[in-house]
Amino acid sequence: MVKNRKASTSLEAASSPEQEHLLGEGGGALYVHLPYCVKKCRYCDFNSYAYTDQNIDAYLSSVLREAELRAPGLRPQTLFVGGGTPSFIDADRLKSFFDNLNDITGFADSVIEATMEANPESFDDETAQAVFGAGINRLSLGFQSLRNDVLLAYDRVHDVDRSFKAFESARNAGFDNINIDLIYSFPGQDLNDWLSDLESIHELSPEHLSCYELSYEPGTSLTKLRDAGRHQQNSNDFAKQMFDLTRAANSSAGYLPYEVSAFSKQGRQCQHNLTYWNSLPYIGLGAGAASWQTPYRVMNIASPEAYVGALAASESPHQEKTACSPTTILFDALMMGLRLENKGVSFEHLFNLSGLDARQHYATQWSKFIDQSMVVFVEENEGTYVRATALGYLHLDTILGELLPDDVVLTV
Amino acid sequence: MSKSFPAERIRNFSIIAHIDHGKSTLADRFLEITGAVDTRNKQAQQLDSMDIERERGITIKAAAVSLTTHVNGVEYLLNLIDTPGHVDFAYEVEKSLQACEGALLLIDAAQGIQAQTVANAMLAMEQDMTIIPVFNKVDLPHARPEEFAGELENTLLLEPELALHCSAKTGEGVEAIIEALVARVEAPQGDPHAPLQALIFDAKYDEYRGIVVCVRIINGTLHKGDTAHMIGVGADYEAVDIGKFMPKMVTHDSLSVGEVGYFISNIKNLEDVRVGDTMTISKGERAEALKGYREPQPMVWCGVFPVSSGDFEDLRAALKQLKLNDSSIIFEPESSEALGFGFRCGFLGLLHMEIVQERLERESDLSVVQTAPSVPYQIVLKDGSVKDIHAPGMLPDPNLFEEIQEPIVTTHILIPVESIGAIMSLCAERRGTFLRQEHLSANRVMLTWDLPLAEIIYDFYDKLKSGTKGYGTMNLESPRFESANLVKLRILVAGNDADALSTICHADNAQRRGRAVLKVLRKEIPRHQFEIALQAAVGGKILARENIRALSKNVTAKCYGGDITRKRKLLAKQKEGKKRMKSIGNVEVPQKAFLSVLTTDE
């Protein structure tokens, strides 16, 4: 990173070249963050908050205000509404929020994909119909597990029956593109349990599956429990078995892996997430939302209250705006692009993003990784792709550790 | 200023005692009793006890103290010459003993004589010194002086009836000791008109006055202002100030035969003065050097590295500062692939190393990493020449040398009879050669073994203590070098030599040592994406192997737009940790792995 530049504190004074660049970008991807949940899950490290008595209307208005400032007439190709639990907000409010967002950005006509995340406990027929009617055409349902004891242990508020009902509501409302989120490798879960859970999901036949290995993020209550010796994390070897089983079971059921944790039926890959993994630009609205407008990474103020306060005072909701150096852009693009299974990232694309010849820039590393059968170069679609092999794919973080440029400033 | 004291009324003596047998208490009692005859001093004591405390501090630090006392109405000068308290080898007390004609052999009446005390007493007897055995702490209920007097006869052929009894704590019997010193110890013999011949038996660094040289005049007379010549060092120094420790330093115009005192000449570096050297006069007829001077040889070496590489120069400065006070410390820069830049330090022995370590920590406030101690070796090359080495990396190619010699030490071990079995097998395990067994009494026995020093410095003393319920003591004679079946143990990580981890060890121990090293490495090297073979080898022969299984996977489960910056920082943090790793081939070895191996005693 060249420099950690703070954004100007006033939106009125926001006519800097960077700001114009941000405001002027059309198309692309739009992300909206709705941070409230019934309660915080044990493993969660998202910018989410248990709802008590926060003013939801004030928050939604602030997001719309930010949309007016940063994405007027954007006509995005994809929209993703994440959280938190967007479905936690009642149907009427959600409908009117999406209507207003559409008035500002015109997303309903422009998108090829508009996803909203929902949790089973708060997703019923009413909400399903309301958001489908408001232009949301893809749903991401947080099943997480098909075991009630696991759901209870990790502080989820729904049960398995409720998950299936939510899925039915979605189908009934007209959603023909649904993702189901699942977490695996809970301690105590054995391979057979997990396989039978996956088979139940395959029977339900959603279009997309996200299967995440349970991860221990810094600061979560799960990580604290583990570090205090009160929770036994599965061994690395067992996690690998679960990982392999997940891929095998999903593939044979027609869900092809295209990213580390993402599986889809033919033609049903998540277009919005591909934007991230292809390092294409996106604008994030709402508390803690991230934006990528080459070469700037922008991070909004994380606290919803502070975010609302900043917009009410006509101040910038940006907490941090950083101009990335070419080496950082290149690294980030590899970090994301190598996650794409059987694809990787092309040197041409990397050059377009960073202005650097990645082949030459990382010559030593590539030759070592090729020797170790971790990556391969593949000629495809009139380009040369650097792609992780099956082995390299399992060790992406090891590869990235050696690609990381030295100029990354440790500010945390 | 005081004149020289007539030699026939001087008595020079040392106190030979085991730690905690009451040497300091007895010395304090001497100070009090001899000072008590002087009424003015008595007043001073009452007036300002703080000063006395300070003076006592001096007596502990000073190498010598001069006392005057009256016996049967005649004034005598008693010079108490201190022996170093912590020694690794018996010869370290030799210089102090050489300055005396007699020694008090102070024995705890409840514990009996200890190995090092026996050795020092023998050393004193070899120099024809008068030994006065004294049983201290006779006031203790479990004191058994009569029983231990028998041990004296068996070990040192000292007549039991010559032993005195005292309690340094209460003062009981101390006057009788002073009388015995005057009656039994010979007055110094020498010619005050002969060319100056003085023994340098100690030297201390004083921040304000430079080096304080402690001398005992053998022949001739040293005058203030004389230009003295140090025969061994070959340097001339002017006697800027001379005098005696009374116990404060008191200037005198001259020091003559039998007298003990100090010599100050603005000498800044302790290396310029050698303990054991002979001082004579620069101009005119010079005396001959006294016999028996031996340059102290470092027998234990270890690497000392700053934890933070930026502290290298500070560490050098700290070691230099220590050397001012203790010239027997040797250090030279060492660069370790694993630990960076530091110093290879040589010490007289294990105890000396521990004392220096302690001082380094206390006086310098530096964080240092220390490797496990090792001994020096002598390599006999094919052409017959001998090469000294003190680090495994200095070992030449096996084709170039004939044999490796290691230091062997004759070790006297004094133990209770019931521990004989345990200690005999300990010594046998440590490649010892049994020499003899002598019964001191019905309960105690002295074993004499030849042991490789390399075996002694690996927790031998701890094992001795635990094998004898704490009662065992030992004493080491001067080391000598003997040929041994020693090999260079190679450690291979994924087929590549880890030079920083190679060691010299006995062929019989190579496999055990190799296994231990591999076990540590297996624990400390993180799993990689490939299996790592760890091997211990001598030449091309593999003696032990371990495998570090491949890491199954290392990939972040979820990474979306909002995670990029955080993920990058997380990787940067991990990379920061990896900076402390050293690559051996494709394997990243954490510094901690090297440390665990290099600091382990196994």
Side-chain angles (χ1 to χ4, degrees), chain B residues 18 114 423 426 460-474:
Chain B
H18 195 72
Q114 306 295 314
I423 301 309
L426 171 67
F460 183 86
Y461 190 66
D462 293 343
K463 289 265 158 62
L464 169 64
K465 281 291 173 190
S466 62
T468 59
K469 298 193 175 73
Y471 289 111
T473 57
M474 65 177 195

Side-chain angles (χ1 to χ4, degrees), chain A residues 329-350:
Chain A
I329 296 172
L330 175 61
F331 172 77
D332 287 355
L334 282 162
M335 177 166 76
M336 302 310 276
L338 287 173
R339 298 182 71 82
L340 292 172
E341 186 158 9
N342 297 322
K343 182 167 182 279
V345 53
S346 78
F347 288 115
E348 291 75 11
H349 183 53
L350 292 170

